[in-house]
Amino acid sequence: MSMTGGVMLSGAIQSILVTIICVGGSFSHAANCDSTSKGFIPLTELTGTYKGQPGGLYPGGINQPPIWHHNNGISLAQSFVPLNTSGLPDTVNGSWVLLSVGMSNTTQEFSRFVLDMQGDTTRHPQLRIVDGAQGGQTAAKIVYDTAAFWTVINNRLTTQGLSSKQVRAVWLKEANAGPTNPFPGHAISLRDNLRDVVRLLKVKYPNILQVFVSSRIYAGYASTTLNPEPFSYEAGFSYRWLIESQLTGNDSLNYLSDSGAVKAPWLAWGPYLWADGVIPRQIDGLTWLCSDLVSDGTHPSDSGRVKVASMLEEFFKTSPYTGAWFLKDFITPCCLAATGNVDCDLGDVADISDLTALIDNLFISLSPLCCPNEANTDGTGAVDISDLTALIDHLFISLASTTDCP
């Protein structure tokens, strides 16, 4: 009997040891630090195509939304009002919530962002920031209304004295585990999951207005099959296709009440996080070093989390779609791309009416300009006769471009 008991105990111990070794091994993979670049071009810089798909964050190979969608985003940002836990306006004790939704990388990065924002005196006093993202909760798992993921979020809101009816904006960063389908198959599947999640957000958070998306960071150092390259890079197309679906009126992602039933929030890109390893991005010099990830080469280390948190902070503090509700003092920029739209028409096109508006401002009524930056067509500072000359040249003579917005 004692021998039998001894054998049984030995077998149990052996089983436990095997489990520990296997589980431990899954976390002990050394990052593939030699894979410093994959040769892919960030979507923000891709002027050609990738496997038949054009670059850009938005349709047409550009990195900014259409002007009508841009204007709607600004209007929504300016419409935030503080709500109580019942979802009713309360300018004294009410709040609005910025919530993160996503998987392990998301919570690791957003929790650092939450930490960085504590004590930030520039924040709007009625803004509350809550990390709702959770480890292991991939896009395919949270598409279900009954997923435990949503219960956990509600518990986190309640713990902070908040409710689902105060959620007004979401940062959405998701992926799926272990993708194997070649492009575009896996990216289409992720897009469809994201579409379902976005629709569900409107159900779970009836007062939500905006969702900002980000795809994953560089995964070239990955030593597991959880979500390596090229899947991490290619997921950027999933998000672009999601936004394109809304812009073209497809997939019941309507957010405009005058266009029918509202079934989704307004969608736009948040910070685009992918860069090709150690190759600096053109716009900001972003790189991803092996030291920016932990041993699996997939999840961000402390330095990687700081990078993402810094990009989130810059985005929410400077974007015309967020500044009005994120900061206590914010002036919404009125100039989008190139100068010349002096009369601030929704088409954002410089034409004869802009010339008329500038002449009126300089010589006739002297009435204030709707956006002085748009009238600064020569980029020198004050609006004067040289800007009129530059606009005339642009419209009728050399057709040269006006200067970019500041």
Side-chain angles (χ1 to χ4, degrees):
M1 184 74 172
S2 60
M3 287 183 61
T4 304
V7 170
M8 289 177 66
L9 178 61
S10 175
I13 293 173
Q14 184 179 26
S15 176
I16 292 171
L17 288 174
V18 169
T19 300
I20 292 173
I21 291 171
C22 290
V23 173
S26 69
F27 288 96
S28 62
H29 288 285
N32 183 17
C33 289
D34 291 333
S35 185
T36 57
S37 170
K38 289 298 183 180
F40 306 146
I41 302 174
L43 295 189
T44 50
E45 300 170 10
L46 181 60
T47 56
T49 60
Y50 174 84
K51 297 184 179 180
Q53 285 293 322
L57 300 180
Y58 294 91
I62 59 176
N63 295 321
Q64 295 174 332
I67 188 63
W68 61 270
H69 196 65
H70 163 82
N71 289 334
N72 287 338
I74 292 176
S75 296
L76 288 170
Q78 295 172 338
S79 72
F80 276 39
V81 293
L83 305 175
N84 62 24
T85 54
S86 297
L88 300 175
D90 184 345
T91 58
V92 177
N93 299 310
S95 302
W96 52 75
V97 174
L98 167 62
L99 176 74
S100 69
V101 170
M103 34 52 169
S104 54
N105 287 52
T106 313
T107 186
Q108 291 167 5
E109 295 154 354
F110 200 78
S111 61
R112 176 61 198 225
F113 171 65
V114 172
L115 180 64
D116 289 348
M117 290 299 97
Q118 290 179 0
D120 188 316
T121 58
T122 67
R123 273 179 53 181
H124 198 291
Q126 289 167 309
L127 167 66
R128 302 290 295 274
I129 306 176
V130 178
D131 179 22
Q134 302 155 43
Q137 299 301 299
T138 59
K141 290 182 178 180
I142 69 170
V143 296
Y144 301 104
D145 177 77
T146 56
F149 176 84
W150 303 108
T151 302
V152 171
I153 291 182
N154 282 343
N155 290 338
R156 292 181 182 180
L157 289 168
T158 301
T159 299
Q160 298 192 38
L162 301 166
S163 80
S164 60
K165 294 180 180 180
Q166 292 171 293
V167 175
R168 301 291 257 168
V170 161
W171 180 51
L172 173 63
K173 183 189 176 190
E174 265 292 6
N176 280 324
T180 56
N181 271 351
F183 187 81
H186 75 90
I188 291 174
S189 295
L190 178 58
R191 178 206 62 191
D192 292 347
N193 289 155
L194 293 171
R195 177 198 61 209
D196 293 342
V197 169
V198 167
R199 289 171 173 168
L200 189 53
L201 286 174
K202 185 62 181 174
V203 175
K204 296 291 185 180
Y205 312 111
N207 294 316
I208 190 173
L209 295 175
Q210 299 173 313
V211 169
F212 301 96
V213 302
S214 295
S215 55
R216 292 192 57 236
I217 62 177
Y218 179 70
Y221 305 118
S223 55
T224 75
T225 59
L226 183 59
N227 201 277
E229 297 296 352
F231 302 106
S232 181
Y233 171 76
E234 292 172 346
F237 292 99
S238 305
Y239 287 91
R240 192 184 72 195
W241 295 335
L242 171 71
I243 295 173
E244 185 173 7
S245 294
Q246 182 173 79
L247 295 176
T248 57
N250 294 336
D251 295 327
S252 300
L253 291 172
N254 175 54
Y255 68 94
L256 297 168
S257 58
D258 57 359
S259 297
V262 174
K263 297 184 177 180
W266 177 90
L267 299 174
W269 277 90
Y272 177 67
L273 307 175
W274 197 92
D276 191 20
V278 299
I279 308 300
R281 284 202 312 206
Q282 295 176 4
I283 189 171
D284 56 8
L286 175 67
T287 60
W288 290 105
L289 309 179
C290 195
S291 58
D292 290 327
L293 295 101
V294 297
S295 60
D296 65 0
T298 300
H299 294 91
S301 65
D302 287 344
S303 63
R305 297 176 192 187
V306 168
K307 283 187 177 181
V308 176
S310 296
M311 286 187 278
L312 285 169
E313 180 177 355
E314 180 181 6
F315 173 79
F316 285 115
K317 285 186 173 181
T318 62
S319 171
Y321 314 132
T322 60
W325 54 260
F326 194 88
L327 297 175
K328 64 180 180 181
D329 297 306
F330 181 77
I331 299 175
T332 302
C334 55
C335 195
L336 176 61
T339 59
N341 183 25
V342 181
D343 63 354
C344 301
D345 68 79
L346 296 181
D348 196 38
V349 175
D351 52 28
I352 191 67
S353 64
D354 298 296
L355 184 62
T356 302
L358 186 52
I359 292 172
D360 180 69
N361 167 262
L362 291 173
F363 306 112
I364 305 174
S365 72
L366 309 183
S367 57
L369 293 164
C370 59
C371 180
N373 283 338
E374 284 282 9
N376 184 22
T377 55
D378 66 353
T380 59
V383 177
D384 53 27
I385 189 68
S386 63
D387 297 296
L388 182 61
T389 302
L391 186 56
I392 292 172
D393 180 68
H394 166 71
L395 292 172
F396 305 113
I397 305 175
S398 73
L399 309 184
S401 298
T402 57
T403 60
D404 290 338
C405 295

